[in-house]
Amino acid sequence: MRSTIHITPSILLLLLLNHSNAFSFPNNNKNKAIRKAVVVAGGGAAAIAAGIGVSILQKQQTKEDDDNYSKYNPIAGSLCGKTIVITGGSSGLGLESAKRLALAGANIVVTTRTDAKGETAVEGIRSYVRDRKLSGAYTDQTISYKLLNLDDLTDMSKQLSGSSNGDDSSSSPSSDWNDIPQIDVLLNNAGVMALPTRELTVDGIERQMQSNHLGHFALTAMLANSQKFSAAARIINVSSSAHTITKSIKWEYVWSADDGYGPWTSYGQSKLANVHFTTELQRRIDAAGLDWVTATLHPGVVATDLGRNMMGDEWYDRMSKDQGGVLESIAAKGFSFFLKTVESGASTSIWLASGAEDQDVRGKYFDNCIAQELSASAMDEDDAARLWRESEKLAGVTFNLNEVK
């Protein structure tokens, strides 16, 4: 059974008041008082804090509802002929991104761990397009899935080469990537967040670091080396504002976290790695004279992620069915105002994957479709270069950008 991080409603509200990423919370005296009340008075103050927090945030919620970019949709037909691969595309932000990019005409390939999840995702995407498209189906549009396990580098290499089934002559198309002639966009979206206990993959890497960074690093390298990317390919890495949790990569900790594991420390390290990977990849792309574009982003705090990871499946499911106690229900309602919907959380990914309205996004970090200034540590080129070298070594791959045709 998966263990969870136990957080009381009052502490939950305190965390939200201090660390909401979906909205900005002014650091004035009134809000400092709210935070203090939550800590000192516990549950009763939590209810008060929820009410005050909600009232303060309602104007910001209304602003997001009126913002065209809060649910960005590419122009219908604008992506016809483009092939977009989305990791972790069977649920959450990945599935939502797949649906809306498909509605714009793109050929979609989502990655999943199982055939059952892949088949369900493909049918969901097709139904979404079918129900919303004004007339007919896009000619020659394909919606498919591929099996991918980012937590097993050997298996992933076999999956990409089409040899994962060994001598099985009935190899499924979902196990063979060779039938994808060209990739125009790779959206590295899959990942895990704040695992409560330290987990190592079969490769001996702390799981968050492999799922969120190293697996995607290896995938991108393998696709580049196999000449899969188009001449103007886009590589989008989903990061998070959590990359600021730690000031820099903790080299003695980052890969194995065997000395004082911290769920949020490891998550922050993996998200900082996403940023470093993006900026270093863009520098190397430019040096190789390629026209590829990389970008990274913060999707916002999305309900499907944070609720389950912080409070556990049991609490999240109980709240979603309105089966909690009075205090839990108040906390949950306050909680929801700090979060983005999946539709809103996917918007920046969709905007970047669909061309970012022809803006220059190379090597940049975005939030709500707006470029954000990175901290000095996140822009540290020495750290980025070291992360690149260590990632190549641990993944057993080398980016051969100078050999790309």
Side-chain angles (χ1 to χ4, degrees), residues 6-23:
H6 297 290
I7 299 178
T8 65
S10 59
I11 292 182
L12 170 61
L13 283 167
L14 176 63
L15 287 169
L16 292 173
L17 291 171
N18 278 293
H19 298 295
S20 173
N21 294 320
F23 301 95

Side-chain angles (χ1 to χ4, degrees), residues 272 275-276 279 283 363 373-382 384:
L272 180 55
V275 174
H276 281 322
T279 56
R283 281 189 287 270
E373 184 176 352
L374 288 167
S375 65
S377 59
M379 291 294 291
D380 189 316
E381 295 187 15
D382 289 337

